[in-house]
Amino acid sequence: MRRVREERPEARVEIFPAPGIPEVQEGDDIGELIATAVPDLRAGDILVVTSKISSKAEGRVRRGVSRNEAITAETQRVVARRGETVIAQTTHGFVMAAAGVDASNTEPGTVVLLPVDPDASAVAIRRSIRERLGVPVGVIISDTFGRPWRNGQTDLAIGVAGVTPALDYRGLSDDHGNALEVTLTAVADEFAAAGDLVKGKLAQTPVAVIRGMAEYTTEEDGPGIRELVRQSEEDMFRYGSRDVVFTRRTIREFSDEPVDGAKVRRAVDAAIAAPAPHHTTPWRFVLLESAEIREKLLDAMREAWIADLRGDGFSEESITRRVKRGDVLRAAPYLAVPCLVMDGSHTYRDDRRNAAEREMFVVATGAGVQNFLVQLAVEGLGSAWVSSTMFCREVVREVLDLPPAWDPMGAVAIGRPAAPPRDRAPRNAADFIVTR
């Protein structure tokens, strides 16, 4: 990433295709093919190279494998799916249609995968051209991407060598004196899109030359494409429609980083969107933002658990082990206590129907808590729902000064995950389905 310090001088840009590049085969030297096609390349020229020819040269063509099988193999995670269309994150970190697998412009019965390391592909092409022509050029490996909120596709950079990937305008001021706080220009993507204008999709011209932008080339190969791949913790739209529910995993280890209460309140917004009987609102969330209150509650609950366990005849060793399970609550920098209220419930003449009425409200509370946990994960927060408060409800109501009708339904430990969740055995939906 390059910091912009002054206005770029007025420039004249020329973009033209590299003619006469033959059909690429495995083992071909792309740099040699380009140097032969455009022997008059100049220092500072920028080459935009379609990723497919790099893939073919590197043996990334698969024969006898269906496109869907190839997509599955190249997918790190599915972001969204609609019909046969799959938006997936690749092992490179790119989020794109079909994980970059392409069945066009290749022999029938074959599919082309992205290069294993597009930055390395760009470096190899750049060095090959310099060896043959003696001129330093910039190289961008490009591929086609769709974009959220926009129809149509455009080419973006997936590999970069010898080109500044991004320009950082932050800290500068515009003509009106306003500070530019978040302006980061993806220069490599702009070059990729510009090159595609002359390459085309059907013209069999996989390489474009951009001339007049030498100021954006660099002597070194540079940092590669990573500057333009947004890290997951910074991605506000990381989770697609398919995997948003699966973001929720029980987290038991938290960092010391404070929790933004606004994020928790947005999770409450999601919680109260859950279904409930009789058009009621059976959820209440007590947010424990005070460390003093959290400690007071957990101490009181601990004493109540110990007294109950001793009364049940458990050994001191067993009591210590069981009480230790509550440590996840002490480790969290933020706690929430979801409560059930029966406002709006119906009263019947027999206990069976009254019990069923309460069960409906308990189920609705569980749905609300599930929404709460999922939204916390979307906000980048880890959580663990612990049933502890259900075993000492009177103590919880007293410490937190809650109305008698509020029924604590566990406690949720919240914080930034300090470690990934533990692996769990895979579950097959078919094992949980009965069809009649």
Side-chain angles (χ1 to χ4, degrees):
M1 185 186 306
R2 194 174 84 189
R3 285 276 183 180
V4 178
R5 297 186 181 279
E6 58 186 1
E7 289 296 324
R8 182 175 59 82
E10 186 175 346
R12 188 180 201 79
V13 182
E14 183 181 2
I15 308 173
F16 55 91
I21 293 178
E23 182 68 25
V24 174
Q25 305 296 325
E26 184 174 354
D28 283 348
D29 184 328
I30 301 297
E32 180 181 8
L33 296 179
I34 295 173
T36 301
V38 196
D40 59 345
L41 283 174
R42 302 175 188 174
D45 283 348
I46 296 172
L47 305 177
V48 181
V49 180
T50 300
S51 66
K52 187 169 295 177
I53 65 171
S54 286
S55 295
K56 289 181 177 180
E58 295 167 16
R60 293 284 284 166
V61 178
R62 297 291 179 264
R63 186 180 299 276
V65 176
S66 73
R67 185 167 179 266
N68 286 340
E69 289 173 328
I71 292 170
T72 299
E74 292 296 296
T75 294
Q76 186 177 71
R77 112 187 134 87
V78 174
V79 175
R81 186 191 302 272
R82 179 177 292 171
E84 294 299 314
T85 301
V86 176
I87 308 299
Q89 179 180 324
T90 70
T91 54
H92 317 79
F94 309 139
V95 175
M96 57 195 307
V101 175
D102 199 344
S104 64
N105 289 320
T106 186
E107 294 180 20
T110 65
V111 293
V112 182
L113 315 180
L114 293 179
V116 172
D117 184 347
D119 284 332
S121 302
V123 169
I125 293 171
R126 184 176 191 239
R127 293 179 180 175
S128 177
I129 290 173
R130 189 159 194 169
E131 288 172 3
R132 285 164 175 78
L133 301 181
V135 294
V137 297
V139 177
I140 293 172
I141 307 295
S142 71
D143 206 283
T144 303
F145 283 67
R147 300 156 299 159
W149 309 297
R150 302 282 286 188
N151 288 322
Q153 292 78 38
T154 186
D155 266 28
L156 300 180
I158 65 169
V160 183
V163 179
T164 299
L167 291 182
D168 188 355
Y169 288 88
R170 290 171 296 184
L172 299 182
S173 300
D174 62 19
D175 290 342
H176 302 283
N178 301 311
L180 302 177
E181 296 179 356
V182 293
T183 303
L184 190 67
T185 300
V187 177
D189 286 342
E190 293 181 329
F191 287 143
D196 192 53
L197 292 173
V198 299
K199 287 190 293 153
K201 301 299 182 187
L202 304 175
Q204 301 295 319
T205 50
V207 178
V209 181
I210 299 177
R211 182 165 292 166
M213 294 278 102
E215 65 190 277
Y216 293 111
T217 60
T218 59
E219 183 64 29
E220 303 298 324
D221 292 330
I225 200 63
R226 65 176 181 269
E227 287 187 353
L228 296 183
V229 179
R230 180 169 285 142
Q231 298 302 304
S232 60
E233 61 270 18
E234 300 173 354
D235 189 350
M236 295 174 66
F237 307 99
R238 170 172 168 76
Y239 300 112
S241 56
R242 180 187 181 277
D243 63 357
V244 64
V245 172
F246 299 97
T247 64
R248 189 218 65 79
R249 292 291 305 278
T250 297
I251 300 295
R252 301 183 183 278
E253 298 177 62
F254 302 97
S255 73
D256 294 331
E257 183 179 347
V259 171
D260 183 353
K263 294 183 176 183
V264 180
R265 285 166 173 78
R266 288 196 291 271
V268 174
D269 283 339
I272 61 177
H278 314 318
H279 306 289
T280 58
T281 55
W283 323 276
R284 303 292 185 272
F285 286 82
V286 185
L287 307 183
L288 306 188
E289 298 183 333
S290 162
E292 181 181 355
I293 290 296
R294 290 195 300 273
E295 185 175 356
K296 181 178 179 181
L297 174 65
L298 295 177
D299 286 347
M301 288 170 58
R302 184 177 184 277
E303 294 305 313
W305 298 338
I306 291 173
D308 284 345
L309 292 170
R310 283 176 177 159
D312 291 335
F314 285 93
S315 68
E316 292 301 314
E317 180 182 356
S318 177
I319 290 173
T320 299
R321 186 172 61 252
R322 288 171 178 268
V323 170
K324 187 173 178 58
R325 296 172 185 169
D327 286 352
V328 64
L329 297 177
R330 290 189 183 274
Y334 197 110
L335 294 181
V337 178
C339 295
L340 162 66
V341 297
M342 295 289 290
D343 293 352
S345 63
H346 296 172
T347 301
Y348 299 97
R349 290 176 296 175
D350 61 273
D351 292 340
R352 176 183 59 83
R353 296 172 71 190
N354 286 325
E357 182 79 0
R358 176 175 171 78
E359 286 175 354
M360 287 197 305
F361 277 72
V362 170
V363 169
T365 301
V369 174
Q370 172 71 356
N371 280 11
F372 182 68
L373 299 177
V374 169
Q375 185 60 36
L376 287 174
V378 171
E379 296 282 351
L381 295 172
S383 65
W385 187 14
V386 181
S387 61
S388 53
T389 66
M390 300 172 69
F391 293 90
C392 51
R393 286 170 165 146
E394 290 299 330
V395 169
V396 175
R397 280 192 282 260
E398 180 180 351
V399 172
L400 300 182
D401 192 24
L402 303 181
W406 287 30
D407 205 351
M409 303 295 285
V412 179
I414 303 169
R416 284 281 184 184
R422 301 169 187 170
D423 290 336
R424 65 183 177 195
R427 298 170 182 171
N428 186 341
D431 296 336
F432 300 88
I433 296 172
V434 176
T435 303
R436 294 288 187 261

